[in-house]
Amino acid sequence: MRYSVVAVGKARPPYADDLSHYLKLVSRHARVDVVEVADDDALARRIPERAFVCLLDAGGRALSSEAFAAWVEERRQGGRDVCFVIGGPFGTALADADFTLSLGPMTLPHLLARVVLLEQLFRAHKILAGEAYHH
């Protein structure tokens, strides 16, 4: 299974190091491609064909880490690649998303949301493997 993260904005400090760190950790468990685009208009053009599209948005469904791990496993069993879409500072609308995920009710900077997503992907794979990182 392959993950794509299509996100508005170029990684920059203070988030760039954290993004690199979690990308390295999660890449031990799954292939993750990060695609950075200049603006919301470019997002839809960079979503891989036939991918399960998950839009990150404050109005989406919030999941615990365990529930997110189960969601990841469902996607893995479904056999489709997953594309996470993260809009810019003002979010984005994406009419054809398969799922809308919220990282919680608080508003996060879009680069921090990217860090949290990668960390939670890593955590989900550790949970699914029964490894100790989660607790």
Side-chain angles (χ1 to χ4, degrees):
M1 181 173 145
R2 169 193 256 166
Y3 299 106
S4 298
V5 178
V6 180
V8 172
K10 184 163 176 50
R12 60 185 190 283
Y15 305 105
D17 289 343
D18 293 330
L19 288 166
S20 180
H21 172 73
Y22 285 113
L23 189 56
K24 181 178 177 182
L25 290 176
V26 76
S27 69
R28 295 178 188 159
H29 301 275
R31 183 168 176 187
V32 181
D33 299 315
V34 176
V35 178
E36 298 177 332
V37 297
D39 55 39
D40 289 341
D41 294 333
L43 284 171
R45 292 191 304 267
R46 298 303 301 268
I47 294 172
E49 202 172 296
R50 294 182 298 196
F52 183 95
V53 179
C54 179
L55 175 66
L56 272 69
D57 184 86
R61 184 167 169 211
L63 302 173
S64 67
S65 294
E66 294 86 355
F68 183 64
W71 184 91
V72 165
E73 182 60 20
E74 288 173 14
R75 303 289 74 73
R76 194 161 52 180
Q77 295 298 319
R80 285 173 71 190
D81 292 339
V82 176
C83 179
F84 294 97
V85 178
I86 304 173
F90 302 103
T92 193
L94 196 60
D96 56 351
D98 295 299
F99 186 78
T100 305
L101 175 67
S102 171
L103 296 177
M106 292 182 165
T107 302
L108 298 175
H110 63 287
L111 285 171
L112 181 56
R114 200 183 317 176
V115 172
V116 172
L117 172 64
L118 290 176
E119 190 279 335
Q120 285 298 304
L121 276 173
F122 175 64
R123 183 178 298 270
H125 282 276
K126 296 298 258 185
I127 290 169
L128 293 171
E131 296 178 11
Y133 176 80
H134 180 58
H135 290 287

Short mmCIF file of all heavy atoms in Angstrom, two decimals, residues 65-130:
data_model
loop_
_atom_site.label_atom_id
_atom_site.label_comp_id
_atom_site.label_asym_id
_atom_site.label_seq_id
_atom_site.Cartn_x
_atom_site.Cartn_y
_atom_site.Cartn_z
N SER A 65 -6.34 7.34 18.23
CA SER A 65 -5.21 6.69 17.56
C SER A 65 -5.54 5.23 17.23
O SER A 65 -5.19 4.73 16.16
CB SER A 65 -3.95 6.76 18.43
OG SER A 65 -3.53 8.10 18.54
N GLU A 66 -6.23 4.55 18.15
CA GLU A 66 -6.60 3.16 17.91
C GLU A 66 -7.60 3.05 16.76
O GLU A 66 -7.50 2.16 15.92
CB GLU A 66 -7.18 2.52 19.18
CG GLU A 66 -6.19 2.37 20.31
CD GLU A 66 -6.06 3.62 21.19
OE1 GLU A 66 -6.68 4.68 20.88
OE2 GLU A 66 -5.34 3.55 22.19
N ALA A 67 -8.57 3.94 16.74
CA ALA A 67 -9.57 3.93 15.66
C ALA A 67 -8.92 4.29 14.32
O ALA A 67 -9.28 3.73 13.28
CB ALA A 67 -10.72 4.88 15.98
N PHE A 68 -7.96 5.20 14.34
CA PHE A 68 -7.25 5.55 13.12
C PHE A 68 -6.45 4.35 12.62
O PHE A 68 -6.40 4.08 11.42
CB PHE A 68 -6.35 6.77 13.34
CG PHE A 68 -5.64 7.22 12.09
CD1 PHE A 68 -6.34 7.71 11.00
CD2 PHE A 68 -4.26 7.16 12.00
CE1 PHE A 68 -5.69 8.12 9.84
CE2 PHE A 68 -3.59 7.57 10.86
CZ PHE A 68 -4.31 8.05 9.78
N ALA A 69 -5.82 3.62 13.54
CA ALA A 69 -5.09 2.40 13.15
C ALA A 69 -6.03 1.40 12.50
O ALA A 69 -5.69 0.79 11.47
CB ALA A 69 -4.39 1.79 14.36
N ALA A 70 -7.23 1.23 13.06
CA ALA A 70 -8.21 0.32 12.46
C ALA A 70 -8.63 0.83 11.08
O ALA A 70 -8.79 0.04 10.14
CB ALA A 70 -9.42 0.18 13.38
N TRP A 71 -8.79 2.14 10.94
CA TRP A 71 -9.14 2.75 9.65
C TRP A 71 -8.03 2.47 8.63
O TRP A 71 -8.31 2.13 7.49
CB TRP A 71 -9.36 4.25 9.86
CG TRP A 71 -9.80 5.00 8.66
CD1 TRP A 71 -11.09 5.23 8.27
CD2 TRP A 71 -8.96 5.66 7.70
NE1 TRP A 71 -11.09 5.99 7.12
CE2 TRP A 71 -9.80 6.26 6.75
CE3 TRP A 71 -7.58 5.79 7.55
CZ2 TRP A 71 -9.31 6.98 5.67
CZ3 TRP A 71 -7.08 6.50 6.47
CH2 TRP A 71 -7.94 7.09 5.54
N VAL A 72 -6.77 2.63 9.05
CA VAL A 72 -5.63 2.34 8.17
C VAL A 72 -5.66 0.88 7.74
O VAL A 72 -5.45 0.57 6.56
CB VAL A 72 -4.30 2.70 8.88
CG1 VAL A 72 -3.10 2.09 8.16
CG2 VAL A 72 -4.14 4.22 8.98
N GLU A 73 -5.93 -0.02 8.67
CA GLU A 73 -5.99 -1.44 8.33
C GLU A 73 -7.12 -1.73 7.34
O GLU A 73 -6.94 -2.52 6.41
CB GLU A 73 -6.16 -2.29 9.59
CG GLU A 73 -6.20 -3.78 9.34
CD GLU A 73 -4.94 -4.34 8.67
OE1 GLU A 73 -3.87 -3.70 8.70
OE2 GLU A 73 -5.04 -5.44 8.10
N GLU A 74 -8.27 -1.08 7.50
CA GLU A 74 -9.36 -1.24 6.54
C GLU A 74 -8.93 -0.80 5.14
O GLU A 74 -9.24 -1.45 4.15
CB GLU A 74 -10.58 -0.42 6.97
CG GLU A 74 -11.32 -0.97 8.16
CD GLU A 74 -12.41 -0.02 8.64
OE1 GLU A 74 -12.78 0.93 7.92
OE2 GLU A 74 -12.91 -0.24 9.76
N ARG A 75 -8.23 0.31 5.08
CA ARG A 75 -7.73 0.79 3.79
C ARG A 75 -6.73 -0.21 3.21
O ARG A 75 -6.74 -0.50 2.02
CB ARG A 75 -7.04 2.15 3.92
CG ARG A 75 -7.84 3.28 4.52
CD ARG A 75 -8.96 3.82 3.67
NE ARG A 75 -10.14 3.02 3.55
CZ ARG A 75 -11.08 2.83 4.51
NH1 ARG A 75 -10.95 3.37 5.69
NH2 ARG A 75 -12.13 2.08 4.29
N ARG A 76 -5.86 -0.73 4.06
CA ARG A 76 -4.85 -1.69 3.60
C ARG A 76 -5.53 -2.95 3.05
O ARG A 76 -5.15 -3.45 2.00
CB ARG A 76 -3.91 -2.03 4.76
CG ARG A 76 -2.67 -2.73 4.35
CD ARG A 76 -1.56 -2.66 5.34
NE ARG A 76 -1.92 -3.08 6.69
CZ ARG A 76 -1.07 -3.10 7.70
NH1 ARG A 76 0.19 -2.73 7.52
NH2 ARG A 76 -1.44 -3.47 8.89
N GLN A 77 -6.56 -3.43 3.77
CA GLN A 77 -7.29 -4.61 3.31
C GLN A 77 -8.07 -4.33 2.03
O GLN A 77 -8.29 -5.24 1.24
CB GLN A 77 -8.24 -5.11 4.41
CG GLN A 77 -7.53 -5.62 5.65
CD GLN A 77 -6.65 -6.81 5.36
OE1 GLN A 77 -7.01 -7.71 4.60
NE2 GLN A 77 -5.47 -6.84 5.97
N GLY A 78 -8.46 -3.07 1.85
CA GLY A 78 -9.20 -2.69 0.65
C GLY A 78 -8.34 -2.65 -0.60
O GLY A 78 -8.85 -2.65 -1.72
N GLY A 79 -7.02 -2.59 -0.43
CA GLY A 79 -6.11 -2.68 -1.56
C GLY A 79 -5.92 -1.40 -2.37
O GLY A 79 -5.24 -1.43 -3.38
N ARG A 80 -6.51 -0.30 -1.94
CA ARG A 80 -6.33 0.96 -2.67
C ARG A 80 -5.28 1.81 -1.97
O ARG A 80 -5.17 1.79 -0.74
CB ARG A 80 -7.64 1.75 -2.69
CG ARG A 80 -8.66 1.21 -3.64
CD ARG A 80 -9.99 1.90 -3.51
NE ARG A 80 -9.99 3.27 -4.01
CZ ARG A 80 -11.00 4.11 -3.80
NH1 ARG A 80 -12.06 3.74 -3.11
NH2 ARG A 80 -10.93 5.33 -4.28
N ASP A 81 -4.53 2.54 -2.76
CA ASP A 81 -3.62 3.52 -2.18
C ASP A 81 -4.46 4.62 -1.54
O ASP A 81 -5.60 4.86 -1.93
CB ASP A 81 -2.72 4.12 -3.25
CG ASP A 81 -1.73 3.10 -3.80
OD1 ASP A 81 -1.46 2.09 -3.12
OD2 ASP A 81 -1.23 3.33 -4.92
N VAL A 82 -3.88 5.31 -0.56
CA VAL A 82 -4.58 6.38 0.15
C VAL A 82 -3.87 7.70 -0.11
O VAL A 82 -2.65 7.78 -0.01
CB VAL A 82 -4.63 6.11 1.68
CG1 VAL A 82 -5.26 7.28 2.41
CG2 VAL A 82 -5.39 4.82 1.97
N CYS A 83 -4.66 8.70 -0.44
CA CYS A 83 -4.13 10.05 -0.63
C CYS A 83 -4.75 10.97 0.41
O CYS A 83 -5.97 11.14 0.45
CB CYS A 83 -4.46 10.55 -2.04
SG CYS A 83 -3.86 12.24 -2.32
N PHE A 84 -3.90 11.52 1.26
CA PHE A 84 -4.34 12.52 2.24
C PHE A 84 -4.16 13.89 1.61
O PHE A 84 -3.10 14.19 1.06
CB PHE A 84 -3.50 12.42 3.52
CG PHE A 84 -3.71 11.14 4.27
CD1 PHE A 84 -2.83 10.08 4.11
CD2 PHE A 84 -4.78 11.00 5.14
CE1 PHE A 84 -3.01 8.89 4.81
CE2 PHE A 84 -4.97 9.81 5.84
CZ PHE A 84 -4.08 8.76 5.67
N VAL A 85 -5.18 14.73 1.71
CA VAL A 85 -5.15 16.06 1.12
C VAL A 85 -5.23 17.09 2.24
O VAL A 85 -6.15 17.05 3.07
CB VAL A 85 -6.31 16.25 0.13
CG1 VAL A 85 -6.30 17.67 -0.44
CG2 VAL A 85 -6.23 15.21 -1.00
N ILE A 86 -4.24 18.00 2.26
CA ILE A 86 -4.18 19.06 3.28
C ILE A 86 -4.15 20.39 2.56
O ILE A 86 -3.20 20.68 1.83
CB ILE A 86 -2.94 18.91 4.19
CG1 ILE A 86 -2.91 17.53 4.85
CG2 ILE A 86 -2.92 20.02 5.24
CD1 ILE A 86 -1.64 17.24 5.63
N GLY A 87 -5.18 21.19 2.78
CA GLY A 87 -5.25 22.50 2.15
C GLY A 87 -4.31 23.49 2.82
O GLY A 87 -3.55 23.15 3.73
N GLY A 88 -4.38 24.70 2.36
CA GLY A 88 -3.54 25.77 2.90
C GLY A 88 -4.07 26.32 4.21
O GLY A 88 -4.90 25.69 4.86
N PRO A 89 -3.63 27.51 4.58
CA PRO A 89 -4.00 28.09 5.86
C PRO A 89 -5.51 28.24 6.08
O PRO A 89 -5.97 28.25 7.21
CB PRO A 89 -3.34 29.47 5.84
CG PRO A 89 -2.24 29.35 4.85
CD PRO A 89 -2.69 28.34 3.84
N PHE A 90 -6.27 28.33 5.02
CA PHE A 90 -7.71 28.50 5.15
C PHE A 90 -8.48 27.22 4.82
O PHE A 90 -9.69 27.24 4.65
CB PHE A 90 -8.18 29.65 4.26
CG PHE A 90 -7.50 30.94 4.59
CD1 PHE A 90 -6.48 31.42 3.78
CD2 PHE A 90 -7.82 31.64 5.74
CE1 PHE A 90 -5.82 32.59 4.10
CE2 PHE A 90 -7.16 32.81 6.07
CZ PHE A 90 -6.16 33.30 5.25
N GLY A 91 -7.77 26.10 4.74
CA GLY A 91 -8.41 24.84 4.41
C GLY A 91 -8.74 24.78 2.93
O GLY A 91 -8.37 25.65 2.15
N THR A 92 -9.46 23.74 2.55
CA THR A 92 -9.87 23.60 1.16
C THR A 92 -11.14 22.76 1.09
O THR A 92 -11.43 21.99 2.00
CB THR A 92 -8.76 22.97 0.30
OG1 THR A 92 -9.08 23.12 -1.07
CG2 THR A 92 -8.55 21.51 0.62
N ALA A 93 -11.88 22.91 0.03
CA ALA A 93 -13.05 22.09 -0.22
C ALA A 93 -12.68 21.08 -1.31
O ALA A 93 -11.99 21.42 -2.26
CB ALA A 93 -14.22 22.95 -0.68
N LEU A 94 -13.14 19.86 -1.14
CA LEU A 94 -12.86 18.82 -2.11
C LEU A 94 -14.11 17.95 -2.21
O LEU A 94 -14.36 17.10 -1.35
CB LEU A 94 -11.65 18.00 -1.67
CG LEU A 94 -10.96 17.12 -2.68
CD1 LEU A 94 -10.45 17.93 -3.86
CD2 LEU A 94 -9.82 16.38 -2.03
N ALA A 95 -14.90 18.17 -3.23
CA ALA A 95 -16.21 17.55 -3.35
C ALA A 95 -16.15 16.03 -3.47
O ALA A 95 -17.06 15.34 -3.02
CB ALA A 95 -16.95 18.14 -4.54
N ASP A 96 -15.10 15.49 -4.07
CA ASP A 96 -15.07 14.05 -4.33
C ASP A 96 -14.21 13.26 -3.36
O ASP A 96 -13.75 12.16 -3.67
CB ASP A 96 -14.65 13.78 -5.77
CG ASP A 96 -13.31 14.41 -6.13
OD1 ASP A 96 -12.79 15.20 -5.32
OD2 ASP A 96 -12.79 14.11 -7.21
N ALA A 97 -14.01 13.77 -2.15
CA ALA A 97 -13.24 13.03 -1.14
C ALA A 97 -14.05 11.81 -0.68
O ALA A 97 -15.27 11.87 -0.56
CB ALA A 97 -12.93 13.93 0.05
N ASP A 98 -13.35 10.71 -0.43
CA ASP A 98 -13.99 9.49 0.06
C ASP A 98 -14.22 9.55 1.57
O ASP A 98 -15.12 8.87 2.08
CB ASP A 98 -13.11 8.28 -0.25
CG ASP A 98 -12.97 8.04 -1.74
OD1 ASP A 98 -14.01 7.81 -2.40
OD2 ASP A 98 -11.84 8.12 -2.25
N PHE A 99 -13.42 10.34 2.26
CA PHE A 99 -13.51 10.44 3.72
C PHE A 99 -12.94 11.79 4.12
O PHE A 99 -12.01 12.29 3.49
CB PHE A 99 -12.69 9.31 4.37
CG PHE A 99 -12.82 9.22 5.85
CD1 PHE A 99 -13.94 8.62 6.42
CD2 PHE A 99 -11.83 9.70 6.69
CE1 PHE A 99 -14.06 8.51 7.80
CE2 PHE A 99 -11.95 9.60 8.07
CZ PHE A 99 -13.07 8.99 8.63
N THR A 100 -13.51 12.38 5.17
CA THR A 100 -12.99 13.63 5.71
C THR A 100 -12.58 13.38 7.15
O THR A 100 -13.39 12.94 7.96
CB THR A 100 -14.03 14.77 5.61
OG1 THR A 100 -14.45 14.89 4.25
CG2 THR A 100 -13.43 16.09 6.06
N LEU A 101 -11.31 13.62 7.43
CA LEU A 101 -10.71 13.35 8.73
C LEU A 101 -10.39 14.65 9.45
O LEU A 101 -9.84 15.57 8.86
CB LEU A 101 -9.42 12.55 8.55
CG LEU A 101 -8.57 12.26 9.77
CD1 LEU A 101 -9.30 11.29 10.70
CD2 LEU A 101 -7.22 11.68 9.36
N SER A 102 -10.75 14.70 10.73
CA SER A 102 -10.38 15.83 11.56
C SER A 102 -9.30 15.38 12.54
O SER A 102 -9.39 14.29 13.12
CB SER A 102 -11.60 16.33 12.35
OG SER A 102 -11.20 17.28 13.32
N LEU A 103 -8.29 16.21 12.73
CA LEU A 103 -7.27 15.91 13.73
C LEU A 103 -7.66 16.44 15.10
O LEU A 103 -6.90 16.36 16.04
CB LEU A 103 -5.92 16.49 13.30
CG LEU A 103 -5.35 15.90 12.02
CD1 LEU A 103 -4.04 16.60 11.64
CD2 LEU A 103 -5.13 14.40 12.14
N GLY A 104 -8.86 16.97 15.21
CA GLY A 104 -9.38 17.47 16.47
C GLY A 104 -10.08 18.80 16.26
O GLY A 104 -10.00 19.41 15.20
N PRO A 105 -10.76 19.26 17.30
CA PRO A 105 -11.55 20.48 17.16
C PRO A 105 -10.73 21.77 17.13
O PRO A 105 -11.23 22.80 16.72
CB PRO A 105 -12.48 20.45 18.37
CG PRO A 105 -11.74 19.62 19.38
CD PRO A 105 -10.96 18.61 18.58
N MET A 106 -9.49 21.73 17.55
CA MET A 106 -8.67 22.93 17.52
C MET A 106 -8.13 23.19 16.12
O MET A 106 -7.84 22.26 15.38
CB MET A 106 -7.48 22.80 18.49
CG MET A 106 -7.86 22.77 19.91
SD MET A 106 -6.33 22.68 20.89
CE MET A 106 -6.98 23.10 22.48
N THR A 107 -7.99 24.45 15.77
CA THR A 107 -7.40 24.81 14.50
C THR A 107 -5.88 24.68 14.60
O THR A 107 -5.28 25.17 15.55
CB THR A 107 -7.76 26.26 14.13
OG1 THR A 107 -9.19 26.36 14.09
CG2 THR A 107 -7.18 26.65 12.80
N LEU A 108 -5.29 23.98 13.63
CA LEU A 108 -3.84 23.78 13.61
C LEU A 108 -3.25 24.48 12.39
O LEU A 108 -3.88 24.51 11.34
CB LEU A 108 -3.49 22.29 13.50
CG LEU A 108 -3.95 21.37 14.62
CD1 LEU A 108 -3.61 19.93 14.26
CD2 LEU A 108 -3.30 21.75 15.93
N PRO A 109 -2.02 24.99 12.50
CA PRO A 109 -1.35 25.46 11.29
C PRO A 109 -1.25 24.29 10.31
O PRO A 109 -1.04 23.14 10.72
CB PRO A 109 0.04 25.87 11.78
CG PRO A 109 -0.11 26.08 13.25
CD PRO A 109 -1.18 25.15 13.70
N HIS A 110 -1.43 24.55 9.03
CA HIS A 110 -1.47 23.45 8.06
C HIS A 110 -0.18 22.63 8.03
O HIS A 110 -0.22 21.43 7.81
CB HIS A 110 -1.88 23.93 6.67
CG HIS A 110 -0.95 24.90 6.04
ND1 HIS A 110 -0.84 26.20 6.44
CD2 HIS A 110 -0.09 24.74 5.02
CE1 HIS A 110 0.06 26.80 5.69
NE2 HIS A 110 0.53 25.95 4.82
N LEU A 111 0.96 23.24 8.30
CA LEU A 111 2.21 22.46 8.35
C LEU A 111 2.26 21.58 9.60
O LEU A 111 2.76 20.46 9.55
CB LEU A 111 3.42 23.38 8.28
CG LEU A 111 3.70 23.96 6.90
CD1 LEU A 111 4.78 25.03 6.98
CD2 LEU A 111 4.11 22.87 5.93
N LEU A 112 1.73 22.06 10.70
CA LEU A 112 1.66 21.24 11.91
C LEU A 112 0.70 20.07 11.70
O LEU A 112 0.96 18.95 12.15
CB LEU A 112 1.25 22.07 13.12
CG LEU A 112 1.17 21.33 14.45
CD1 LEU A 112 2.48 20.64 14.80
CD2 LEU A 112 0.75 22.29 15.56
N ALA A 113 -0.39 20.31 10.99
CA ALA A 113 -1.32 19.22 10.68
C ALA A 113 -0.61 18.12 9.89
O ALA A 113 -0.84 16.93 10.12
CB ALA A 113 -2.52 19.76 9.90
N ARG A 114 0.28 18.51 9.01
CA ARG A 114 1.05 17.53 8.24
C ARG A 114 1.95 16.71 9.16
O ARG A 114 2.06 15.49 9.01
CB ARG A 114 1.88 18.24 7.17
CG ARG A 114 2.29 17.32 6.06
CD ARG A 114 3.17 17.91 5.01
NE ARG A 114 2.86 19.23 4.53
CZ ARG A 114 3.61 19.89 3.66
NH1 ARG A 114 4.70 19.34 3.17
NH2 ARG A 114 3.27 21.10 3.26
N VAL A 115 2.59 17.36 10.13
CA VAL A 115 3.42 16.65 11.10
C VAL A 115 2.57 15.66 11.90
O VAL A 115 2.94 14.49 12.06
CB VAL A 115 4.13 17.63 12.06
CG1 VAL A 115 4.84 16.89 13.19
CG2 VAL A 115 5.12 18.52 11.31
N VAL A 116 1.43 16.12 12.40
CA VAL A 116 0.55 15.27 13.20
C VAL A 116 0.08 14.08 12.36
O VAL A 116 0.06 12.94 12.84
CB VAL A 116 -0.64 16.07 13.77
CG1 VAL A 116 -1.65 15.15 14.45
CG2 VAL A 116 -0.14 17.13 14.76
N LEU A 117 -0.28 14.30 11.11
CA LEU A 117 -0.72 13.20 10.25
C LEU A 117 0.38 12.15 10.10
O LEU A 117 0.13 10.95 10.27
CB LEU A 117 -1.12 13.73 8.87
CG LEU A 117 -1.40 12.65 7.82
CD1 LEU A 117 -2.61 11.81 8.22
CD2 LEU A 117 -1.58 13.27 6.46
N LEU A 118 1.60 12.58 9.79
CA LEU A 118 2.69 11.61 9.62
C LEU A 118 3.00 10.87 10.91
O LEU A 118 3.25 9.66 10.90
CB LEU A 118 3.94 12.31 9.09
CG LEU A 118 3.85 12.81 7.64
CD1 LEU A 118 5.12 13.58 7.27
CD2 LEU A 118 3.61 11.66 6.68
N GLU A 119 2.94 11.58 12.04
CA GLU A 119 3.17 10.91 13.32
C GLU A 119 2.08 9.89 13.58
O GLU A 119 2.35 8.77 14.04
CB GLU A 119 3.23 11.95 14.46
CG GLU A 119 3.70 11.37 15.79
CD GLU A 119 2.64 10.63 16.58
OE1 GLU A 119 1.43 10.92 16.40
OE2 GLU A 119 3.01 9.75 17.39
N GLN A 120 0.83 10.22 13.28
CA GLN A 120 -0.27 9.29 13.52
C GLN A 120 -0.23 8.11 12.56
O GLN A 120 -0.61 7.00 12.94
CB GLN A 120 -1.61 10.02 13.43
CG GLN A 120 -1.90 10.89 14.65
CD GLN A 120 -1.99 10.08 15.93
OE1 GLN A 120 -2.78 9.14 16.05
NE2 GLN A 120 -1.17 10.44 16.92
N LEU A 121 0.24 8.31 11.35
CA LEU A 121 0.44 7.18 10.46
C LEU A 121 1.49 6.22 11.02
O LEU A 121 1.32 5.00 11.00
CB LEU A 121 0.88 7.65 9.06
CG LEU A 121 -0.22 8.05 8.11
CD1 LEU A 121 0.38 8.65 6.84
CD2 LEU A 121 -1.13 6.88 7.78
N PHE A 122 2.59 6.79 11.52
CA PHE A 122 3.61 5.96 12.15
C PHE A 122 3.04 5.23 13.36
O PHE A 122 3.21 4.01 13.50
CB PHE A 122 4.81 6.83 12.56
CG PHE A 122 5.86 6.08 13.33
CD1 PHE A 122 6.56 5.05 12.73
CD2 PHE A 122 6.13 6.40 14.64
CE1 PHE A 122 7.53 4.34 13.44
CE2 PHE A 122 7.10 5.71 15.35
CZ PHE A 122 7.80 4.67 14.75
N ARG A 123 2.32 5.94 14.19
CA ARG A 123 1.71 5.35 15.39
C ARG A 123 0.74 4.24 14.98
O ARG A 123 0.70 3.16 15.60
CB ARG A 123 1.00 6.42 16.21
CG ARG A 123 0.41 5.91 17.52
CD ARG A 123 -0.25 7.04 18.31
NE ARG A 123 0.71 8.06 18.67
CZ ARG A 123 1.42 8.07 19.79
NH1 ARG A 123 1.28 7.08 20.67
NH2 ARG A 123 2.25 9.04 20.06
N ALA A 124 -0.07 4.47 13.96
CA ALA A 124 -1.04 3.46 13.52
C ALA A 124 -0.33 2.16 13.12
O ALA A 124 -0.76 1.06 13.49
CB ALA A 124 -1.85 4.00 12.35
N HIS A 125 0.77 2.29 12.40
CA HIS A 125 1.50 1.08 11.99
C HIS A 125 2.13 0.39 13.19
O HIS A 125 2.21 -0.85 13.22
CB HIS A 125 2.52 1.42 10.91
CG HIS A 125 1.88 1.58 9.57
ND1 HIS A 125 1.61 0.52 8.75
CD2 HIS A 125 1.42 2.68 8.94
CE1 HIS A 125 1.02 0.96 7.66
NE2 HIS A 125 0.89 2.26 7.74
N LYS A 126 2.56 1.14 14.18
CA LYS A 126 3.11 0.52 15.40
C LYS A 126 2.00 -0.19 16.17
O LYS A 126 2.21 -1.29 16.70
CB LYS A 126 3.79 1.57 16.29
CG LYS A 126 5.01 2.22 15.64
CD LYS A 126 6.09 1.20 15.35
CE LYS A 126 7.16 1.28 16.38
NZ LYS A 126 8.31 0.42 16.11
N ILE A 127 0.81 0.42 16.25
CA ILE A 127 -0.33 -0.22 16.91
C ILE A 127 -0.67 -1.52 16.20
O ILE A 127 -0.84 -2.57 16.84
CB ILE A 127 -1.54 0.73 16.95
CG1 ILE A 127 -1.30 1.89 17.91
CG2 ILE A 127 -2.82 -0.02 17.34
CD1 ILE A 127 -2.33 3.01 17.83
N LEU A 128 -0.76 -1.46 14.88
CA LEU A 128 -1.12 -2.66 14.11
C LEU A 128 -0.08 -3.77 14.24
O LEU A 128 -0.42 -4.95 14.20
CB LEU A 128 -1.32 -2.29 12.64
CG LEU A 128 -2.53 -1.40 12.36
CD1 LEU A 128 -2.51 -0.90 10.92
CD2 LEU A 128 -3.83 -2.11 12.69
N ALA A 129 1.17 -3.39 14.44
CA ALA A 129 2.25 -4.38 14.61
C ALA A 129 2.35 -4.87 16.05
O ALA A 129 3.15 -5.75 16.35
CB ALA A 129 3.58 -3.78 14.16
N GLY A 130 1.58 -4.25 16.97
CA GLY A 130 1.64 -4.65 18.37
C GLY A 130 2.91 -4.20 19.06
O GLY A 130 3.32 -4.78 20.06
#
